[in-house]
Amino acid sequence: MTADVDFGDDGLVPAVAQDTNSGEVLMMAYVSPAALERTRETGRAHYYSRSRDELWEKGATSGHTQAVREVRIDCDGDALLYLVEQAGGACHTGYHSCFYRTIDDETVGERVFDPDEAYGDGDGDGNG
């Protein structure tokens, strides 16, 4: 039996990616029914880009992939948690986690790659 996911009026549900080994929160993105299906089929994280209006596989451009070890759903069925093994950085800006700075704009995370090299065109569109 599969839990019911409430994809809401826009057909999307937020998904948090968390490192399965360290517990560090890596990123948050949106998931469509098709993205969730592709994630479950392939074992690799897939998300939905609202800005480009398309499905995307994490790391398809940069090589910084997420192997999904487990997908959890919250009690209301309207949020997902991807427990992942992250290869390289999760953030398109080059940091290991998208949550690399405090609200006071202090950098607290580690930069692990150069986005210009990873994406080639240097657009840093966040879909690596």
Side-chain angles (χ1 to χ4, degrees), residues 39-75:
T39 297
R40 295 184 75 191
E41 287 173 358
T42 65
R44 296 182 310 275
H46 287 75
Y47 300 100
Y48 187 83
S49 171
R50 296 183 304 167
S51 62
R52 295 183 315 178
D53 194 26
E54 67 183 18
L55 181 75
W56 60 280
E57 179 182 346
K58 178 66 179 153
T61 303
S62 68
H64 298 262
T65 59
Q66 292 176 343
V68 178
R69 297 301 173 225
E70 187 175 5
V71 177
R72 294 186 185 177
I73 187 169
D74 79 336
C75 58

Side-chain angles (χ1 to χ4, degrees), residues 107-121:
T107 299
V108 295
E110 178 185 6
R111 194 162 210 188
V112 295
F113 73 94
D114 179 343
D116 289 336
E117 290 179 16
Y119 303 111
D121 61 5

Side-chain angles (χ1 to χ4, degrees), residues 2-112:
T2 301
D4 288 330
V5 179
D6 179 1
F7 287 97
D9 294 338
D10 62 359
L12 302 174
V13 64
V16 173
Q18 180 180 26
D19 188 292
T20 191
N21 297 313
S22 71
E24 181 178 18
V25 174
L26 300 172
M27 59 178 278
M28 194 289 296
Y30 291 92
V31 172
S32 64
L36 180 57
E37 182 179 328
R38 290 289 298 147
T39 297
R40 295 184 75 191
E41 287 173 358
T42 65
R44 296 182 310 275
H46 287 75
Y47 300 100
Y48 187 83
S49 171
R50 296 183 304 167
S51 62
R52 295 183 315 178
D53 194 26
E54 67 183 18
L55 181 75
W56 60 280
E57 179 182 346
K58 178 66 179 153
T61 303
S62 68
H64 298 262
T65 59
Q66 292 176 343
V68 178
R69 297 301 173 225
E70 187 175 5
V71 177
R72 294 186 185 177
I73 187 169
D74 79 336
C75 58
D76 295 322
D78 61 359
L80 299 176
L81 175 66
Y82 281 8
L83 296 173
V84 304
E85 288 183 12
Q86 177 69 49
C91 186
H92 70 280
T93 64
Y95 287 85
H96 181 67
S97 168
C98 291
F99 298 95
Y100 64 88
R101 57 189 177 155
T102 69
I103 194 70
D104 296 319
D105 205 26
E106 177 186 355
T107 299
V108 295
E110 178 185 6
R111 194 162 210 188
V112 295

